[in-house]
C-alpha cells in the first residue's frame, strides 16, 4: 500500500503515532508535535529562500510553518520511489472564521505584523508581476474572449451574460490600468524591490490559524518580492465579497492594519487602484476560456450573475472607501 510519504519520516528521526490526510498533505503526530508532509514540486533554490524567511520570522516570535531538515541537513527528502517530500512543523488549530469580525481583524493585524518582518536581499527571479502590465494583459484577454464569443455565437447562459456585461467591466479595467500611470505605483514597486519586501502570495482565511490570543500563518510557497498591498488587497477582497462590500467592515480592516503598520500615501493609492480593477470578473472569464466550454459550471454562472448584480455596489464601495 502506498504510504503517501510516511516512510520519509525516518529520515528526520521521527515516527508517527497517528497520520491522516488533510488539504493536499499528510498530517503526522510525532515526538516533535504535529508535522505536515507534502510532495514537493517547486524550486529548491526558492525553497531555501523561503526557509530563510521562515526562520527569520520564527526568531521574531512569529508562528509559522518552518521546514524541518533531515539527518543529512537538507529540506527535501525522497521516498523509495524517489518522490520528493518536505516536512514542516504544524499547528492543529482552526482556520480564521470569516463569519467572525474578531478573527478577521486579528488576521489583518497579523498580516501587518509579518509584513514588517518579511524582507530578504532581493532575488529578481522571484519578483512579483508588474501590476500595470498585468492589467493591460487581462484587459486584452477580456477583449479576446468577447471576440471569441461573438464569432461563435453565445449559446449558454455564461456566454450571454458575459456579452451583456463585458463593456462595463472592461471600461473599469481600462480605467484602473490608466490610474497606475497617474499614481506612484512605479516608485512604490521599485522601493519595494530595493528593500526586499516580500508578499505571502496566498494570505487568506485558510492559511491563518487561530491559536487563542495568537495566530499562526502557513503556506508561504507563493511568496514573492512585491508591493505588500497585494496581500492586504487579496485578503480584504475575499472577505468583502462575502459581506457584499460592507464599507464599515472595510474601514475597520484598514484601521486595524494601519494601527500596526501605517500605510503610506502611495500604498493607499495603490490599494484604491487594486479595488477599482474587476479582478474577479476577469478570473471567471479566463476560467471559462481556458477550460472545456461545452460544460459550463452552474456555480460559475451564478458567480458571474452575482458580480453583475453587485457591480454598482462594488463601484460605490471603491469611491467611498478611498475618497480621502
Amino acid at each position: 500500500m502506498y504510504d503517501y510519504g510516511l516512510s520519509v519520516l525516518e529520515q528526520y528521526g521521527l515516527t508517527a503515532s497517528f497520520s491522516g490526510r488533510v488539504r493536499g498533505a499528510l498530517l503526522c503526530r510525532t515526538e516533535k508535535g504535529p508535522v505536515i508532509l507534502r510532495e514537493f514540486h517547486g524550486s529548491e533554490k526558492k525553497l531555501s529562500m523561503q526557509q530563510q524567511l521562515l526562520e527569520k520570522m520564527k526568531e521574531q516570535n512569529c508562528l509559522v510553518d518552518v521546514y524541518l531538515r533531515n539527518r543529512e541537513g537538507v529540506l527535501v527528502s525522497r521516498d523509495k520511489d524517489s518522490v520528493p517530500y518536505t516536512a514542516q512543523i504544524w499547528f492543529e488549530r482552526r482556520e480564521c472564521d470569516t463569519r467572525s469580525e474578531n478573527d478577521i481583524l486579528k488576521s489583518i493585524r497579523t498580516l501587518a505584523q509579518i509584513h514588517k518582518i518579511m524582507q530578504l536581499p532581493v532575488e529578481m527571479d522571484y519578483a512579483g508581476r508588474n501590476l500595470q502590465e498585468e492589467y493591460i494583459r487581462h484587459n486584452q484577454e477580456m477583449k479576446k474572449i468577447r471576440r471569441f464569443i461573438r464569432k461563435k455565437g453565445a449559446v449558454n447562459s455564461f456566454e450571454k451574460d458575459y456579452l451583456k456585461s463585458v463593456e462595463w467591466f472592461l471600461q473599469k479595467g481600462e480605467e484602473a490600468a490608466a490610474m497606475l500611470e497617474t499614481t506612484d505605483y512605479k516608485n512604490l514597486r521599485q522601493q519595494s524591490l530595493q528593500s526586499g519586501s516580500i508578499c505571502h502570495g496566498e494570505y487568506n482565511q485558510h492559511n491563518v490559524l487561530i491559536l487563542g490570543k495568537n495566530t499562526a500563518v502557513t503556506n508561504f510557497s507563493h511568496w514573492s518580492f512585491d508591493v505588500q498591498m497585494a496581500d492586504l488587497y487579496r485578503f480584504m477582497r475575499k472577505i468583502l465579497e462575502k459581506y457584499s462590500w460592507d464599507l464599515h467592515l472595510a474601514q475597520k480592516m484598514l484601521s486595524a492594519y494601519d494601527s500596526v503598520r501605517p500605510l503610506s500615501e502611495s500604498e493607499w493609492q495603490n490599494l484604491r487602484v487594486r479595488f477599482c480593477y474587476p479582478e474577479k470578473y476577469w478570473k471567471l472569464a479566463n476560467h471559462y476560456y481556458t477550460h472545456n466550454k461545452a460544460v459550463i459550471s452552474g456555480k460559475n454562472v451564478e458567480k458571474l450573475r452575482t458580480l453583475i448584480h453587485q457591480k454598482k455596489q462594488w463601484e460605490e464601495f471603491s469611491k467611498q472607501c478611498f475618497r480621502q
Side-chain angles (χ1 to χ4, degrees):
M1 181 181 292
Y2 187 53
D3 64 7
Y4 296 101
L6 191 59
S7 62
V8 302
L9 277 181
E10 298 173 3
Q11 299 178 42
Y12 298 89
L14 299 175
T15 55
S17 60
F18 167 85
S19 65
R21 300 295 293 175
V22 293
R23 183 182 295 139
L26 185 70
L27 172 64
C28 307
R29 294 201 180 99
T30 75
E31 305 93 314
K32 289 189 177 181
V35 170
I36 283 281
L37 290 177
R38 282 196 179 92
E39 280 195 39
F40 179 68
H41 303 288
S43 155
E44 292 196 34
K45 178 184 175 183
K46 188 177 184 185
L47 178 67
S48 177
M49 291 189 69
Q50 182 178 337
Q51 177 72 346
Q52 185 182 344
L53 172 67
L54 295 172
E55 289 175 340
K56 176 183 178 181
M57 296 174 73
K58 185 180 179 182
E59 289 173 2
Q60 297 291 321
N61 299 316
C62 296
L63 299 176
V64 290
D65 53 348
V66 176
Y67 290 90
L68 299 177
R69 294 184 183 275
N70 64 23
R71 285 170 169 165
E72 296 179 356
V74 298
L75 299 175
V76 179
S77 301
R78 286 171 171 77
D79 68 4
K80 63 182 185 302
D81 298 314
S82 296
V83 177
Y85 285 89
T86 58
Q88 295 168 273
I89 62 169
W90 197 248
F91 310 90
E92 289 189 273
R93 295 295 188 272
R94 65 176 179 85
E95 296 180 353
C96 166
D97 185 353
T98 58
R99 297 166 298 180
S100 165
E101 185 175 295
N102 285 338
D103 277 14
I104 291 169
L105 297 182
K106 183 181 288 187
S107 300
I108 286 284
R109 287 190 288 269
T110 297
L111 178 62
Q113 289 164 356
I114 67 173
H115 273 172
K116 292 166 68 176
I117 300 168
M118 290 171 64
Q119 289 184 327
L120 287 177
V122 70
E123 169 60 69
M124 289 304 294
D125 286 346
Y126 308 124
R129 295 172 180 168
N130 182 297
L131 191 62
Q132 189 169 26
E133 293 174 0
E134 189 170 87
Y135 282 177
I136 291 171
R137 185 174 66 256
H138 289 176
N139 291 341
Q140 290 171 342
E141 288 165 352
M142 284 192 284
K143 292 176 183 176
K144 179 172 68 176
I145 295 166
R146 179 184 60 186
R147 289 194 302 270
F148 172 79
I149 296 175
R150 283 177 175 172
K151 184 175 181 179
K152 83 174 195 63
V155 176
N156 56 58
S157 298
F158 187 96
E159 293 167 345
K160 292 175 182 177
D161 289 341
Y162 182 81
L163 286 187
K164 289 177 184 176
S165 60
V166 64
E167 302 302 335
W168 190 90
F169 283 99
L170 183 56
Q171 179 184 348
K172 297 303 173 186
E174 291 177 336
E175 288 173 358
M179 287 169 67
L180 288 173
E181 284 285 356
T182 60
T183 59
D184 199 32
Y185 171 67
K186 289 181 181 178
N187 287 332
L188 179 62
R189 184 170 189 268
Q190 184 177 10
Q191 290 167 10
S192 298
L193 294 178
Q194 287 176 345
S195 65
S197 294
I198 291 176
C199 281
H200 179 283
E202 284 288 336
Y203 194 86
N204 56 46
Q205 70 270 23
H206 303 301
N207 295 328
V208 182
L209 305 179
I210 306 298
L211 294 75
K213 293 182 179 180
N214 297 318
T215 53
V217 183
T218 64
N219 296 328
F220 283 76
S221 59
H222 292 89
W223 70 271
S224 65
F225 294 99
D226 205 350
V227 176
Q228 291 179 328
M229 292 304 96
D231 278 340
L232 180 57
Y233 160 73
R234 288 190 197 102
F235 185 83
M236 288 185 65
R237 178 178 65 81
K238 293 196 174 191
I239 296 296
L240 291 169
E241 285 173 353
K242 299 178 186 294
Y243 283 82
S244 300
W245 299 100
D246 186 312
L247 181 61
H248 185 56
L249 177 59
Q251 290 170 338
K252 284 186 175 182
M253 294 167 79
L254 289 168
S255 295
Y257 186 95
D258 189 69
S259 68
V260 177
R261 180 189 173 281
L263 292 163
S264 69
E265 177 63 27
S266 295
E267 288 173 328
W268 182 258
Q269 290 176 359
N270 189 249
L271 267 181
R272 175 173 173 255
V273 175
R274 290 176 189 271
F275 274 106
C276 286
Y277 190 84
E279 183 177 355
K280 186 70 175 288
Y281 187 87
W282 165 79
K283 281 187 174 180
L284 284 173
N286 188 61
H287 184 273
Y288 153 82
Y289 190 72
T290 55
H291 289 73
N292 184 356
K293 300 169 189 61
V295 182
I296 305 296
S297 163
K299 191 173 183 180
N300 283 347
V301 173
E302 183 181 342
K303 287 180 179 180
L304 180 61
R305 287 179 175 171
T306 299
L307 283 178
I308 295 169
H309 177 72
Q310 291 184 346
K311 68 179 187 179
K312 290 298 182 183
Q313 202 171 0
W314 166 65
E315 181 183 36
E316 189 63 21
F317 165 84
S318 60
K319 288 180 180 177
Q320 293 297 321
C321 190
F322 298 97
R323 68 178 184 271
Q324 295 179 344

